[in-house]
Amino acid sequence: MAEAASAAPLLRGFPDEVVIWEILPRLPPKSILRCRAVCPAWRRATSARDFLLAHHARQPALPILDGLNTVGKGIDILTFDHRSADQLQLQSVARLGANHHFGLEASCDGLLVLSIHDMSLGFAICNPATRQYAPLHLLYGSRLLGMYPHSPTGEYRLLLYLSSKIMHDEGEGASYIFTIGSGHQPRNIGCPDAKALIFTLSTLFRGSLHWHLKQQESASSRIMVFDTTAESFRQMRAPVVRGFGNLFEMDGMLGLSIINDEQTSVDIWVMQDYEGQVWTFKSRVELPIAEIRVQFGKFVDFWNVVAAPSDVDVQVLVKTDEWLLQVDTDGKLVASFHRRGLNPTQRRLKQSLVSHTFFPTQEGYVVNASPFI
Amino acid sequence: MAATPADASSSSSEAVVGGEKSNKMITLISSDGESFEATEEAAKMSVTIKHMIEDGCADDGIPLPNVPAKILSMVIEYCNKHAADADDTNKHVADPADADEDDDNNNNNASAGEKEDLKSFDASLVAVDQATLFDIILAANFLSIKGLLDLACQKVADDIKDKSVEEVREIFKIENDFTKEEEEAVRKENAWAFNE
C-alpha cells in the first residue's frame, strides 16, 4: 500500500485512501493518464497495480459499436453510455486505420481481440485505453469461441475451434485453448461439438463462458457452458423462447435478450437462480414502430435491433441505414444519432489501464502507433 | 405497528426488532457544540452511528468531533431524504419477478417521479464550493454513509475529469515537483490523453 509517511499527501487535508479508492477510480481512463502528469505522488498513485485494478472494476461495461471509418477500412470503436448527457452518449474510444477492415471478435477485461480481414485472416489483441496493440499468431482458419481470464494463473486465454483439415488430422475438428503470451501452440482439449458455437456470441459469467443456442425451427433452446477452470463443457436450461437470443450479465445475474422475428419487440429474461437454473421473464420492450416511421421518414426495409445492456438496465438500439436510435426500457424513443455505418456489436467494453506482461512479448507489438490513429 | 412518536424518555438500549420502524429521535452534536435531532432511521444511514446506537452509546446524544455544524446539517438532510426513499423502495421490492406488466409500469411511474426528485436533491446538495464538498466527503467517510460518500466523490471526479493538468494543480493547490524532463516523459508516454 502507499508509503504515507515519506510522501506528501495527494490532496492537502485529505486522507490519501479517500483520494485513491473513492475519487480517482471514478475518473475515465484518459483523465487518469493526465493525472500522472500532475506531480510525482499522483503519478505513483495512479500507476499502482492495485489502484488500476480498482479503477477497472469501477468502469461501466458499455455496449460497443463499430463505426466504419470514412474510407471504409480499419475500425472505429465506439461505446454507448445512455446515462451520459445528450450527444455525449456515443463516444469514440479508439480508431484504427489499415488497408483492411477489422472485425471485433472478443472483449474481455478491457482487452479486445480483432480479426484481420485481409489475406492473412489473422487476429490481433489491443487495449484501446492504453493504445497497446499486438498481432496474435493463431493458425489460419482458427475460429474464436471465447476469451477469458484464467484465474489460477492470471493468463488470458482463447477458446478456439479448429477443423481437422487445418490441423492435418483425421476425423473431426476439436476445441483448443490458446494462452496469450505463452508462446506455446494451442492445446487440444477435444470437444468437437464446440463447432456449433462458432457463430454465437459467448458471455463470460462466474468464470464460465456461456452461449445461447437456438434449435432450428423449434422453440427450444439450450445454453452451452464452458467451465474455464475444469476446461469442460456442460449444458444449462434456457427459457422456452422464439427468436435469436443473446446472453449478457447485468446486476450480478445472467440475462437473455430475445428479439422477435419481426424485430418489433425485445424480451428480457433473467436467471434469478443460477444454481437452480431458474429463468424469470423480466420485461418486454415494444419498439415504437409508428413513431419511428413518422420521425425518420423513409422506412427502411431492413433494420437491426440490438439489446444494449448496461450495468443497470437494457436499452434497445435500432440501426437503420442512416440512423442509430435508442429506445429505453419503457419502449420510448429517447435519442437518435445521425450517422452512417454504426454497427452495434452485442459486445461490451469495460476499460482498463492495467498492464499485462504478455503485450511486450508479442512479435509486432506497438504502443500508440499504427494501426492506432 | 409504528411506535408512539418522539418517545424520547424510553430507554434507547431497547433492541429494535428487525423491520420495525422506530420514530425515536437521536441527538447528534457537531464539533462546535450544536445539537441536531434526527430520526433513528435516518441516523442509522450512518453505519458508524448505527453501531453506536446498537451498542447503547447513544443515550445522551452522539458527539461528532469531526463534523462542524454546517456540514452536519447537510448530512442529516441527506439522511432524512434517503431514509424515506429506502422505505419506499422496500415497499416496491416485494415482488421483483412480477410479470404483470401493467402493475410493473405503474410502480415504475410512481417512483420515477420520486427518483427525479431525489436526483435533483442530490445534485443541489453537492453543488457547493470545493472546501464544503471536501468537508462533506470527510464527514461521509467518517460516518460511513456510503451513498453520500459516493455522491460527493462522484461530484469531485466529474469536476476534474475534463480538466487539464494545470487546472487540476490549480484547483487542488498541488505543487508540481516534477523536473522538466520527468514531466515531459510522462506526457509523451500517454500523449493521446493530452491532445485536447
Side-chain angles (χ1 to χ4, degrees):
Chain A
M1 281 282 303
E3 310 112 9
S6 48
L10 294 171
L11 284 181
R12 237 174 303 151
F14 230 62
D16 274 359
E17 68 204 36
V18 176
V19 182
I20 296 175
W21 304 110
E22 298 292 341
I23 298 179
L24 294 180
R26 294 167 191 276
L27 292 174
K30 266 197 190 150
S31 304
I32 296 292
L33 295 177
R34 278 201 294 272
C35 284
R36 289 183 183 166
V38 168
C39 70
W42 277 54
R43 184 188 53 188
R44 274 193 299 277
T46 54
S47 306
R49 188 179 172 79
D50 278 352
F51 167 76
L52 294 176
L53 285 168
H55 174 261
H56 168 60
R58 292 261 198 170
Q59 298 308 297
L62 301 175
I64 304 175
L65 294 99
D66 144 11
L68 283 178
N69 260 338
T70 40
V71 222
K73 305 247 174 107
I75 190 173
D76 190 355
I77 299 166
L78 304 110
T79 53
F80 177 74
D81 189 352
H82 77 277
R83 294 161 310 173
S84 285
D86 283 354
Q87 300 312 312
L88 286 182
Q89 291 157 330
L90 261 185
Q91 291 277 340
S92 175
V93 172
R95 285 169 56 217
L96 284 79
N99 284 327
H100 55 78
H101 188 54
F102 287 98
L104 180 62
E105 301 298 331
S107 171
C108 176
D109 288 359
L111 297 165
L112 300 176
V113 171
L114 306 171
S115 53
I116 293 173
H117 296 192
D118 65 6
M119 296 289 285
S120 72
L121 288 184
F123 292 87
I125 184 165
C126 76
N127 181 337
T130 60
R131 298 203 144 210
Q132 291 168 296
Y133 174 97
L136 281 174
H137 302 286
L138 299 178
L139 280 176
Y140 181 96
S142 296
R143 307 309 295 259
L144 180 54
L145 302 180
M147 176 178 180
Y148 58 93
H150 182 243
S151 353
T153 55
E155 294 163 338
Y156 283 91
R157 297 184 173 180
L158 302 179
L159 178 65
L160 308 169
Y161 175 83
L162 284 110
S163 72
S164 49
K165 215 165 51 164
I166 293 164
M167 300 306 284
H168 307 296
D169 267 346
E170 302 281 316
E172 307 169 287
S175 310
Y176 289 75
I177 307 263
F178 177 79
T179 300
I180 300 176
S182 70
H184 296 147
Q185 287 302 307
R187 181 166 43 90
N188 186 328
I189 59 164
C191 315
D193 294 340
K195 187 175 181 187
L197 306 173
I198 289 177
F199 297 107
T200 312
L201 211 88
S202 66
T203 300
L204 187 64
F205 181 74
R206 295 202 189 175
S208 292
L209 290 169
H210 299 67
W211 298 258
H212 178 250
L213 292 177
K214 191 170 106 73
Q215 315 281 61
Q216 298 300 52
E217 287 306 313
S218 77
S220 78
S221 60
R222 61 200 164 106
I223 293 175
M224 288 298 292
V225 185
F226 178 73
D227 182 323
T228 62
T229 321
E231 292 186 348
S232 59
F233 286 92
R234 70 179 195 276
Q235 280 195 51
M236 273 183 109
R237 225 172 282 149
V240 178
V241 291
R242 290 198 61 83
F244 292 95
N246 275 296
L247 293 166
F248 58 91
E249 169 170 4
M250 187 169 76
D251 219 9
M253 290 187 290
L254 193 60
L256 180 68
S257 65
I258 324 265
I259 297 163
N260 66 343
D261 289 341
E262 299 79 29
Q263 299 221 64
T264 55
S265 70
V266 182
D267 282 356
I268 312 286
W269 290 74
V270 161
M271 196 181 233
Q272 306 227 300
D273 177 358
Y274 184 76
E275 274 74 31
Q277 301 186 33
V278 178
W279 285 93
T280 316
F281 175 79
K282 181 170 148 69
S283 65
R284 166 168 294 170
V285 179
E286 297 275 5
L287 296 182
I289 314 274
E291 190 189 338
I292 292 176
R293 286 185 183 173
V294 161
Q295 270 201 47
F296 297 95
K298 152 181 110 168
F299 175 59
V300 193
D301 286 325
F302 170 77
W303 66 8
N304 188 20
V305 176
V306 170
S310 69
D311 297 316
V312 291
D313 62 16
V314 183
Q315 302 290 302
V316 176
L317 298 176
V318 180
K319 167 194 150 57
T320 69
D321 251 6
E322 307 240 342
W323 294 86
L324 182 75
L325 310 174
Q326 176 204 347
V327 174
D328 70 10
T329 48
D330 297 322
K332 237 178 48 155
L333 178 64
V334 291
S336 57
F337 304 88
H338 193 190
R339 192 174 148 160
R340 294 189 65 92
L342 271 182
N343 179 37
T345 65
Q346 303 276 14
R347 295 180 199 278
R348 292 151 81 178
L349 174 65
K350 197 170 153 85
Q351 293 200 55
S352 171
L353 293 172
V354 174
S355 63
H356 301 288
T357 49
F358 68 76
F359 261 124
T361 66
Q362 298 293 100
E363 195 190 311
Y365 166 68
V366 293
V367 184
N368 193 27
S370 174
F372 279 107
I373 299 176
Chain B
M1 194 172 134
T4 48
D7 200 349
S9 55
S10 66
S11 163
S12 62
S13 55
E14 241 170 58
V16 177
V17 176
E20 215 174 75
K21 194 172 82 170
S22 155
N23 281 338
K24 189 143 83 323
M25 299 304 282
I26 303 285
T27 305
L28 303 169
I29 306 161
S30 71
S31 59
D32 30 4
E34 242 185 271
S35 283
F36 294 84
E37 296 256 294
T39 63
E40 180 171 324
E41 208 196 339
K44 277 179 161 185
M45 290 209 64
S46 153
V47 176
T48 309
I49 293 178
K50 179 168 181 282
H51 289 158
M52 291 177 88
I53 295 176
E54 285 165 356
D55 291 345
C57 309
D59 295 12
D60 303 318
I62 302 178
L64 301 170
N66 300 19
V67 190
K70 169 182 168 192
I71 304 298
L72 186 52
S73 74
M74 294 172 84
V75 170
I76 291 174
E77 222 191 314
Y78 175 89
C79 293
N80 283 336
K81 261 296 213 203
H82 283 256
D85 175 67
D87 211 32
D88 287 344
T89 307
N90 287 338
K91 290 193 192 119
H92 289 156
V93 157
D95 205 348
D98 193 344
D100 184 332
E101 278 171 56
D102 282 344
D103 207 10
D104 227 13
N105 284 336
N106 285 339
N107 281 346
N108 286 341
N109 287 338
S111 55
E114 284 160 18
K115 278 197 171 84
E116 277 308 308
D117 264 351
L118 211 57
K119 261 177 77 177
S120 6
F121 168 81
D122 282 354
S124 46
L125 188 73
V126 289
V128 292
D129 61 87
Q130 188 189 291
T132 307
L133 190 55
F134 277 20
D135 282 341
I136 293 176
I137 292 177
L138 289 172
N141 187 44
F142 167 68
L143 294 170
S144 264
I145 305 173
K146 185 173 189 314
L148 183 56
L149 185 62
D150 284 347
L151 174 66
C153 288
Q154 187 63 51
K155 177 71 168 61
V156 176
D158 288 343
D159 282 348
I160 64 174
K161 74 175 185 218
D162 292 324
K163 298 280 192 293
S164 71
V165 177
E166 293 80 9
E167 284 169 326
V168 171
R169 288 186 193 131
E170 184 56 54
I171 293 173
F172 296 130
K173 314 269 186 294
I174 298 172
E175 192 200 327
N176 176 13
D177 45 342
F178 268 132
T179 65
K180 208 159 160 278
E181 293 79 23
E182 282 171 342
E183 184 174 344
E184 254 177 55
V186 175
R187 283 176 180 266
K188 186 159 170 242
E189 194 178 29
N190 305 299
W192 69 93
F194 295 87
N195 282 345
E196 52 275 23

